[in-house]
Structure formats: C-alpha cells, structure tokens
Amino acid sequence: MRSSSISDRDPCPYRIIEDVGGAFAFGAIGGGIWHLGKGAWLSPSGSRLSGALGNCASRAPVMGGQFAVWGGLFACCDCTMSAVRQKEDPWNSIVSGAATGGVLAA
C-alpha cells in the first residue's frame, strides 16, 4: 500500500480543473438526492414521483454549479498560496479555506 502526501498532488493548473470537476460531481449527486426528497415531500400526493423528478432535474445542476464555484475558488487560493510560499503544507489549505469563505461571504 502506498502512502500519499501533500507533495504527491498534481501540478496546479490540473489540480484546479480536477477540484472543480470533483466539486461539481459531489454537489450534483448530493443535490440530486436532496432535491429528489424535497420534491417528493412538497408535491401533492397524486404526483409525488413526477414532482420529485422535476425538482431534482431543475435544482441538482444548480447545486452542482455552486459547489464547483466553491471548489474552484478554493483550488485557486490553494495554488496561489503554494506559489507564494513555495511550500506544500497544511497551512496552505487552512488559509485557502479562510480566504474562500471570506470571498464567498462578501
């Protein structure tokens, strides 16, 4: 079994693309499950399945896009911190998370 470390990651341009894609997939799948249940819960009793599928189809890609924006911004901040500090350590991710939260909250 191979142990992985922070320095084993892809170089930054590819890391950003990979993180955006992974975040979109995570948000779309999680949002699909959430909005499927929400659509079934809020639909009238005769059309629960169609309401659930309609809500899932309309809202899950939106949530995936929101997660992709978060993931892309985090990855850009992380790559910027790595380039500025010339180090790959956990502090890059900590500061990147704080910067991402600050930008998205503004």
Side-chain angles (χ1 to χ4, degrees):
M1 185 163 149
R2 186 175 83 101
S3 67
S4 65
S5 70
I6 294 175
S7 62
D8 291 342
R9 297 181 68 188
D10 292 333
C12 271
Y14 303 110
R15 185 185 313 174
I16 294 169
I17 295 168
E18 181 182 328
D19 287 350
V20 168
F24 179 82
F26 184 76
I29 291 169
I33 293 168
W34 176 261
H35 288 294
L36 188 76
K38 184 179 176 184
W41 181 263
L42 296 177
S43 295
S45 62
S47 62
R48 293 213 189 268
L49 181 61
S50 64
L53 293 176
N55 194 32
C56 177
S58 65
R59 298 299 303 162
V62 174
M63 187 167 280
Q66 291 170 344
F67 270 72
V69 167
W70 179 88
L73 187 58
F74 179 84
C76 287
C77 290
D78 193 30
C79 285
T80 301
M81 289 298 299
S82 296
V84 168
R85 296 182 67 226
Q86 296 294 310
K87 279 187 187 178
E88 287 281 343
D89 62 358
W91 283 106
N92 292 344
S93 297
I94 293 168
V95 173
S96 298
T100 300
V103 168
L104 291 177

